[in-house]
Amino acid sequence: VGAGRGFYSRPEIQDMIHLVHAFSDARDQLARVAVLRGPVFSLSDAVMVVLFGQGDHGRRWRDWLEHGDDCEFLTILDDEDRAALSDAQVVWSRLAAQAGRISPVEWLRLALEISGAWAAYAAGRRGEQALANVRLFLDRVRDMVHEQGPNLRSLAERLQSELERDDADKDAEADVSAGTGVTITTMHKAKGLE
């Protein structure tokens, strides 16, 4: 139940919005941290502290992008975190190379596919609903791109605008009949209304 939360405020939609912002504005460290910590990259808190802690204003992030696993400050991470960071660099580089070359919808699909985020969303407790919401988001992005062109920066601005006025949208319809979900219908006591 997402009472009071609009479509663009859903966690999976926030992840997609952060992804667009992170690649459309190199200065948006908040979006970058959110997307790296989220299902697209799934980096641990320890990695985030090493990359963005210490008040270095993104210097370690830039060093990591340029030098990868050779950065000395990464030696404090365990093998699992270093492997995840190495995988993240491959995904980040591929997405950076494709940003602006393919349509934003195809770029988002690429991000979901090469990162394994589709599976992460499916495995969550809201799996079917999260997947339906991401598909609806991609449809909405396709419409936005059709209206204003395939620029990630303008898409980021449009998504921010949508988020700011988001208060009445509901979840996309998900087919939960085959799942283990429960449908709850409430009746208004005084009027007998659903």
Side-chain angles (χ1 to χ4, degrees):
V1 176
R5 291 178 52 184
F7 178 77
Y8 291 96
S9 297
R10 303 287 184 214
E12 59 277 4
I13 304 308
Q14 283 288 296
D15 294 338
M16 297 295 97
I17 292 171
H18 289 309
L19 183 62
V20 171
H21 279 276
F23 280 86
S24 67
D25 182 356
R27 298 167 299 164
D28 193 340
Q29 185 163 307
L30 181 60
R32 187 170 41 249
V33 168
V35 79
L36 289 170
R37 189 66 184 95
V40 174
F41 291 94
S42 300
L43 295 179
S44 71
D45 289 339
V47 171
M48 302 311 291
V49 168
V50 167
L51 286 179
F52 298 103
Q54 319 301 320
D56 73 348
H57 305 289
R59 183 183 51 80
R60 285 184 174 187
W61 164 256
R62 290 186 299 276
D63 287 349
W64 172 71
L65 279 179
E66 186 175 333
H67 304 292
D69 293 337
D70 296 332
C71 296
E72 188 173 320
F73 57 82
L74 298 179
T75 58
I76 65 170
L77 296 174
D78 64 26
D79 290 342
E80 185 178 337
D81 281 337
R82 288 184 68 131
L85 194 53
S86 183
D87 292 345
Q89 186 181 32
V90 170
V91 172
W92 189 278
S93 297
R94 187 160 173 204
L95 291 175
Q98 293 300 317
R101 290 187 170 173
I102 59 178
S103 78
V105 174
E106 294 309 311
W107 183 80
L108 286 164
R109 284 187 186 282
L110 176 67
L112 290 161
E113 289 167 13
I114 66 175
S115 69
W118 281 121
Y121 289 127
R125 68 178 173 80
R126 295 180 51 250
E128 287 298 318
Q129 187 62 62
L131 291 174
N133 285 346
V134 171
R135 287 185 197 104
L136 179 59
F137 176 77
L138 293 173
D139 289 343
R140 288 184 179 187
V141 166
R142 182 177 297 108
D143 293 343
M144 290 176 197
V145 167
H146 181 72
E147 293 171 11
Q148 64 193 44
N151 180 298
L152 270 183
R153 182 74 178 147
S154 61
L155 176 60
E157 291 169 2
R158 172 74 184 272
L159 289 170
Q160 187 62 37
S161 171
E162 294 292 331
L163 181 60
E164 288 169 2
R165 63 180 193 180
D166 181 35
D167 58 9
D169 283 347
K170 297 185 179 190
D171 280 330
E173 291 297 320
D175 180 14
V176 293
S177 61
T180 58
V182 175
T183 302
I184 299 174
T185 304
T186 59
M187 299 294 285
H188 187 280
K189 184 177 178 182
K191 299 178 184 170
L193 301 174
E194 270 190 46

